[in-house]
Amino acid sequence: MPSVLDQRSVPSTAGHRQAAPPRRTPVFALPEARWALASLLLFLVALPVYSMGGPSWLWGVLFAGAYIAGGWGPAWEGLKSLKGKTLDVDLLMVVAALGAAVMGQILDGALLIVIFATSGALEAVATTRTADSVRGLLDLAPRTATRLLPGGGEESVPAETLEVGDLILVRPGERVGADGQVVEGAGDIDQATITGEPLPVAKQAGDKVFAGTVNGTGALRVRVERDPSDSVISRIVKMVEEASETKAPTQLFIEKIEQRYSIGMVVATLAVFCIPLALGDSLSSALLRAMTFMIVASPCAVVLSTMPPLLSAIANSGRHGVLAKSAVVMERLGQVDAVAFDKTGTLTEGTPRVTAVRPLPGSELNEDGLLALAAAAEHPSEHPLARAIVDAARERRLPLPEALAFTSNPGSGVSATISGHAVRVGSPARVTGGAGPVPTAVAELEEAGQTAVLVLRGERPVGVIGIADRLRPDAAATVAALTCLTGRTPALLTGDNERAARHLAALVGITDVRAGLLPQDKVAVVRAWEARGCKVLVVGDGVNDAPALAAAHAGIAMGRAGSDLALETADAVVVRDELATIPSVIALSRKARRLVIQNLAIAGIFITALVAWDLIGTLPLPLGVAGHEGSTVIVGLNGLRLLRETAWTNPVGGGEA
């Protein structure tokens, strides 16, 4: 059913965009961030002293500080893992760094420590930001509610103490305290936080309402039907937390590889030391060979095989308005083979606009006259549809006559006296009171997915105004580009009504439409696709999209109008709201993935050759360090190719870095 006009004071046009920002934990409140910064600063101070031949005691102390600051955390965690009979790569990196220092390569070891400390800090920051946003989501639900007493009085109680069957009063401008059913009253509810619908929804006796949604006008009496801990908004929090846990940075496959490599390297190093020693080699010679082996076998080049291409892709996409939150995210984006879009605020701009002005036969009004009449009546109102009508009149520079005796009728519309005539504007079904036939123009506009607003002068309908959320100009091209990239047409997942959803989908070339979905329904759809082997990318902007963004293989949020929770839950953010950047960043991610494979091959060849040389012959330590660092430089430079502007190409036209 189309929304109606009847609001004098609404806190926001879209609750999920105006919610108070979540309380963020300061970055340097995290110990990982403080220690990583200390390690980096000590390294940066030591580097020029070391390079210019400064006092050895000075750069030695500074490098030692960098080792301790950046390495004690991973080393401690690694030792705890070792106590649990698990050997992780972080501990191996600390040992390799110390080994490099023992052999005189203190700079290489310090750099390795700094890299791993910084990586751990970034992971901790990302995890904390998501947790902060999930906690902030709980603030959408009011802390108190007005409970009506059986004797006729009322009391303010904590919202979490409400019980099923309680009767609560929701005044204009207040948030609904619990999920329930309206038993008395009428008004418009802004429930964008839950369903993503762009416009407030008319509610009257018998209709369902959700905790955390905003009542526009008209007092509502609501009977609580669900315990506050089980409300839709609470379930959104739980779903986001659960889905986020399933996307841990260290995947099971990687853990197995780390274990095998770590154990194999430790065993091999001990063998390289002990076997020659047992065969009569000197202690110093055996130790030198073993330490050379540890240095050349350390996976520095392997680590840098993945990071430079992915970080370069992150930097390049950031220049073009897409912020990927980590290297893991950038890699995931290139793996997607199915895309699901939200509707409002994603494929559309999320702002209602006048799309049609239709004077009725015999009204003696042209389009400008009808629009001016409606805008004059709506001018005192703050309802989103009212603002759309007034804005359209202002764009045409139409003079607005004075409105007298303005009234707003919850669930119906507005009325005023304009130039001596009684004028009513609102829902076609309600503003007429059900008397008389509804003009055919109303059905035509609603069939086209628009909200129809009927204008009456006296008792006679004089015109119909169509209002709709405007489609983003690049939506259709983006859908086509993603279809070419993934081999599958994107789907539309929305809480909006079926008719509006299918009309918009037809405009952009989408055939798979799922409408009327609550947040848990979107998650169920995404999980069903992924159960069939799909790697799903979800693109959304609201609180109601956050669980699906978290559950999907990858999630992208529209940044300009996106909710705080969506922005934190999503893996990447489109800062400039340009949909066309989404297929471009997917194409860039796939290029980065190809470079990662190239780098792994290069690193593997170098490590294999140097290790074989050290085991079969006698690899001089300086040559081993040069080969090890040379491979690191090569893979690093190869990855930096994606910083070039030409790496950001049209995915339909192709192009390689």
Coordinates of all heavy atoms in Angstrom, one line a residue, residues 606-645:
F606 N 62.7 -19.0 -5.8 CA 63.9 -18.5 -5.1 C 64.2 -19.3 -3.8 O 65.3 -19.7 -3.5 CB 63.7 -17.0 -4.7 CG 64.2 -16.1 -5.7 CD1 63.4 -15.7 -6.8 CD2 65.5 -15.5 -5.6 CE1 63.9 -14.8 -7.8 CE2 66.0 -14.6 -6.5 CZ 65.2 -14.3 -7.6
I607 N 63.2 -19.6 -3.0 CA 63.4 -20.3 -1.7 C 63.9 -21.7 -2.0 O 64.9 -22.2 -1.4 CB 62.1 -20.4 -0.9 CG1 61.7 -19.0 -0.4 CG2 62.2 -21.4 0.2 CD1 60.4 -18.9 0.3
T608 N 63.3 -22.4 -3.0 CA 63.7 -23.7 -3.4 C 65.2 -23.7 -3.8 O 66.0 -24.6 -3.4 CB 62.8 -24.3 -4.5 OG1 61.5 -24.3 -4.0 CG2 63.3 -25.7 -4.8
A609 N 65.6 -22.8 -4.7 CA 66.9 -22.7 -5.2 C 67.9 -22.4 -4.1 O 69.0 -23.1 -4.0 CB 67.0 -21.7 -6.3
L610 N 67.6 -21.5 -3.2 CA 68.6 -21.1 -2.2 C 68.7 -22.2 -1.1 O 69.8 -22.5 -0.6 CB 68.1 -19.8 -1.5 CG 68.2 -18.5 -2.4 CD1 67.5 -17.3 -1.7 CD2 69.6 -18.2 -2.7
V611 N 67.6 -22.8 -0.8 CA 67.6 -23.9 0.2 C 68.4 -25.1 -0.4 O 69.3 -25.7 0.3 CB 66.2 -24.3 0.6 CG1 66.2 -25.7 1.3 CG2 65.6 -23.3 1.5
A612 N 68.2 -25.4 -1.6 CA 68.9 -26.5 -2.3 C 70.4 -26.2 -2.3 O 71.3 -27.1 -2.0 CB 68.4 -26.7 -3.7
W613 N 70.8 -25.0 -2.6 CA 72.2 -24.6 -2.6 C 72.8 -24.7 -1.3 O 73.9 -25.2 -1.1 CB 72.3 -23.1 -3.1 CG 73.7 -22.6 -3.4 CD1 74.9 -23.2 -3.0 CD2 74.1 -21.4 -4.1 NE1 76.0 -22.5 -3.5 CE2 75.5 -21.4 -4.1 CE3 73.3 -20.4 -4.7 CZ2 76.2 -20.3 -4.7 CZ3 74.0 -19.4 -5.3 CH2 75.4 -19.3 -5.3
D614 N 72.1 -24.3 -0.2 CA 72.6 -24.4 1.1 C 72.8 -25.8 1.6 O 73.7 -26.1 2.3 CB 71.7 -23.6 2.1 CG 72.3 -23.5 3.5 OD1 73.4 -23.1 3.6 OD2 71.6 -23.9 4.4
L615 N 71.9 -26.7 1.1 CA 71.9 -28.1 1.6 C 72.9 -28.9 0.8 O 73.6 -29.8 1.3 CB 70.5 -28.7 1.5 CG 69.5 -28.2 2.4 CD1 68.1 -28.8 2.1 CD2 69.9 -28.3 3.9
I616 N 73.0 -28.6 -0.5 CA 73.9 -29.4 -1.4 C 75.3 -28.9 -1.4 O 76.3 -29.7 -1.3 CB 73.3 -29.5 -2.8 CG1 71.9 -30.1 -2.8 CG2 74.3 -30.2 -3.8 CD1 71.2 -30.0 -4.2
G617 N 75.4 -27.6 -1.4 CA 76.8 -27.0 -1.4 C 77.0 -26.2 -0.2 O 76.5 -26.5 0.9
T618 N 77.7 -25.1 -0.4 CA 78.0 -24.1 0.7 C 77.5 -22.8 0.2 O 78.2 -22.1 -0.6 CB 79.4 -24.1 1.1 OG1 79.8 -25.4 1.5 CG2 79.7 -23.1 2.2
L619 N 76.4 -22.3 0.7 CA 75.8 -21.0 0.3 C 76.4 -20.0 1.3 O 76.1 -20.0 2.5 CB 74.3 -21.0 0.4 CG 73.6 -19.7 0.1 CD1 73.8 -19.2 -1.3 CD2 72.1 -19.8 0.4
P620 N 77.2 -19.0 0.7 CA 77.7 -17.9 1.6 C 76.5 -17.1 2.1 O 75.5 -16.9 1.5 CB 78.5 -17.1 0.6 CG 78.8 -18.0 -0.6 CD 77.7 -18.9 -0.7
L621 N 76.7 -16.8 3.4 CA 75.6 -16.0 4.1 C 75.2 -14.7 3.3 O 74.0 -14.5 3.1 CB 76.0 -15.7 5.5 CG 74.9 -14.9 6.3 CD1 73.6 -15.7 6.4 CD2 75.4 -14.7 7.7
P622 N 76.2 -13.9 2.9 CA 75.8 -12.7 2.2 C 75.1 -13.0 0.9 O 74.1 -12.2 0.6 CB 77.2 -12.0 1.9 CG 78.1 -12.6 3.0 CD 77.7 -14.0 3.2
L623 N 75.5 -14.0 0.2 CA 74.7 -14.4 -1.0 C 73.3 -14.9 -0.7 O 72.4 -14.6 -1.4 CB 75.5 -15.4 -1.8 CG 75.0 -15.7 -3.2 CD1 74.9 -14.5 -4.1 CD2 75.9 -16.8 -3.9
G624 N 73.2 -15.6 0.4 CA 71.9 -16.1 0.8 C 71.0 -15.0 1.2 O 69.8 -14.9 0.8
V625 N 71.5 -14.0 1.9 CA 70.7 -12.8 2.3 C 70.4 -12.0 1.0 O 69.2 -11.6 0.9 CB 71.5 -11.9 3.3 CG1 70.8 -10.6 3.5 CG2 71.7 -12.6 4.6
A626 N 71.3 -11.9 0.1 CA 71.1 -11.1 -1.1 C 70.0 -11.8 -1.9 O 69.1 -11.2 -2.5 CB 72.3 -11.0 -2.0
G627 N 70.1 -13.1 -2.1 CA 69.0 -13.9 -2.8 C 67.7 -13.8 -2.1 O 66.6 -13.6 -2.8
H628 N 67.7 -13.9 -0.8 CA 66.4 -13.8 -0.1 C 65.8 -12.4 -0.2 O 64.6 -12.3 -0.5 CB 66.7 -14.1 1.4 CG 65.5 -14.0 2.3 ND1 65.2 -12.9 3.0 CD2 64.5 -14.9 2.5 CE1 64.1 -13.1 3.7 NE2 63.6 -14.3 3.4
E629 N 66.6 -11.4 0.0 CA 66.1 -10.0 -0.1 C 65.8 -9.7 -1.5 O 64.8 -8.9 -1.8 CB 67.1 -9.0 0.5 CG 67.4 -9.2 2.0 CD 66.1 -9.1 2.8 OE1 65.2 -8.3 2.4 OE2 66.0 -9.8 3.8
G630 N 66.6 -10.2 -2.5 CA 66.3 -10.0 -3.9 C 64.9 -10.5 -4.3 O 64.2 -9.8 -5.0
S631 N 64.6 -11.7 -3.8 CA 63.3 -12.2 -4.2 C 62.2 -11.4 -3.6 O 61.1 -11.2 -4.1 CB 63.2 -13.7 -3.7 OG 63.2 -13.8 -2.3
T632 N 62.4 -10.9 -2.4 CA 61.5 -10.0 -1.7 C 61.2 -8.8 -2.5 O 60.1 -8.3 -2.7 CB 61.9 -9.7 -0.3 OG1 62.2 -10.9 0.5 CG2 60.9 -8.8 0.5
V633 N 62.3 -8.2 -3.0 CA 62.2 -6.9 -3.8 C 61.4 -7.2 -5.1 O 60.6 -6.4 -5.5 CB 63.6 -6.4 -4.1 CG1 63.5 -5.2 -5.1 CG2 64.2 -5.9 -2.8
I634 N 61.7 -8.3 -5.7 CA 61.1 -8.6 -7.0 C 59.6 -8.8 -6.9 O 58.8 -8.2 -7.6 CB 61.7 -9.9 -7.6 CG1 63.1 -9.7 -8.1 CG2 60.9 -10.4 -8.8 CD1 63.9 -10.9 -8.6
V635 N 59.2 -9.6 -5.9 CA 57.7 -9.8 -5.7 C 57.1 -8.5 -5.2 O 55.9 -8.2 -5.6 CB 57.4 -11.0 -4.7 CG1 58.0 -12.3 -5.2 CG2 58.0 -10.7 -3.3
G636 N 57.8 -7.7 -4.5 CA 57.2 -6.4 -4.0 C 57.0 -5.5 -5.2 O 55.9 -4.9 -5.3
L637 N 58.0 -5.4 -6.1 CA 57.8 -4.5 -7.2 C 56.8 -5.0 -8.2 O 56.0 -4.2 -8.8 CB 59.2 -4.4 -8.0 CG 60.3 -3.6 -7.2 CD1 61.6 -3.6 -8.0 CD2 59.8 -2.2 -6.9
N638 N 56.7 -6.3 -8.3 CA 55.7 -6.9 -9.2 C 54.3 -6.5 -8.7 O 53.4 -6.2 -9.5 CB 55.8 -8.4 -9.3 CG 55.0 -9.0 -10.4 OD1 54.9 -8.5 -11.5 ND2 54.4 -10.2 -10.1
G639 N 54.1 -6.6 -7.4 CA 52.8 -6.3 -6.8 C 52.5 -4.8 -6.9 O 51.3 -4.4 -7.1
L640 N 53.5 -3.9 -7.0 CA 53.2 -2.5 -7.0 C 52.7 -2.1 -8.4 O 52.3 -0.9 -8.6 CB 54.5 -1.7 -6.7 CG 55.0 -1.9 -5.2 CD1 56.3 -1.1 -5.0 CD2 53.9 -1.4 -4.3
R641 N 52.7 -3.0 -9.4 CA 52.2 -2.6 -10.7 C 50.8 -2.2 -10.7 O 50.3 -1.4 -11.5 CB 52.3 -3.8 -11.6 CG 53.8 -4.2 -12.0 CD 53.8 -5.6 -12.6 NE 52.9 -5.7 -13.8 CZ 52.5 -6.9 -14.3 NH1 52.8 -8.0 -13.7 NH2 51.7 -6.9 -15.3
L642 N 50.0 -2.7 -9.7 CA 48.6 -2.3 -9.6 C 48.4 -0.9 -9.1 O 47.2 -0.5 -9.0 CB 47.9 -3.3 -8.7 CG 47.8 -4.8 -9.3 CD1 46.9 -5.6 -8.4 CD2 47.2 -4.7 -10.7
L643 N 49.4 -0.2 -8.7 CA 49.3 1.2 -8.3 C 49.0 2.1 -9.5 O 48.6 3.2 -9.4 CB 50.5 1.7 -7.6 CG 50.6 1.2 -6.1 CD1 52.0 1.6 -5.6 CD2 49.5 1.7 -5.3
R644 N 49.4 1.6 -10.7 CA 49.3 2.4 -11.9 C 47.8 2.7 -12.2 O 46.9 1.9 -12.0 CB 49.9 1.7 -13.1 CG 51.4 1.5 -13.0 CD 52.0 0.8 -14.2 NE 51.4 -0.4 -14.5 CZ 51.7 -1.2 -15.6 NH1 52.7 -0.8 -16.4 NH2 51.1 -2.3 -15.8
E645 N 47.6 3.8 -12.8 CA 46.2 4.3 -13.2 C 45.6 3.3 -14.2 O 44.4 3.1 -14.1 CB 46.2 5.7 -13.7 CG 44.9 6.3 -14.0 CD 44.0 6.5 -12.8 OE1 44.6 6.6 -11.7 OE2 42.8 6.5 -12.9

